[in-house]
Amino acid sequence: MQLICPHCQTPLEGFGDHAHCITCGKDFFLQARCPDCQQPLQVLKACGAIDYFCQHGHGLISKKRVEFVII
């Protein structure tokens, strides 16, 4: 999923929980959301790995399925 800058409509470069627009120079905070219930996911970090957990009954969510939204 490609994130687009809400100001200039240019694709954003993602860096973990942040994104940056090269064109307009703005930075954005990204929030991981569950693809099933759209609720924020808990980010679990251990030994260099990042996992996502839905606290609303969907359990571990594959990072391929995580939806990131600009907040």
Side-chain angles (χ1 to χ4, degrees):
M1 178 175 138
Q2 182 73 34
L3 292 172
I4 304 295
C5 177
H7 299 284
C8 69
Q9 307 305 311
T10 303
L12 297 174
E13 291 186 1
F15 302 102
D17 62 351
H18 288 83
H20 178 74
C21 179
I22 295 175
T23 304
C24 63
K26 296 188 183 288
D27 290 311
F28 302 94
F29 182 74
L30 301 177
Q31 185 177 63
R33 297 261 176 115
C34 177
D36 299 322
C37 65
Q38 299 302 313
Q39 295 296 316
L41 295 172
Q42 180 179 6
V43 180
L44 308 171
K45 297 179 183 180
C47 300
I50 299 175
D51 294 309
Y52 299 93
F53 182 76
C54 177
Q55 297 178 1
H56 302 278
H58 298 107
L60 282 176
I61 304 293
S62 166
K63 50 186 136 188
K64 291 180 181 179
R65 293 187 59 221
V66 171
E67 295 178 3
F68 289 94
V69 295
I70 299 170
I71 57 171

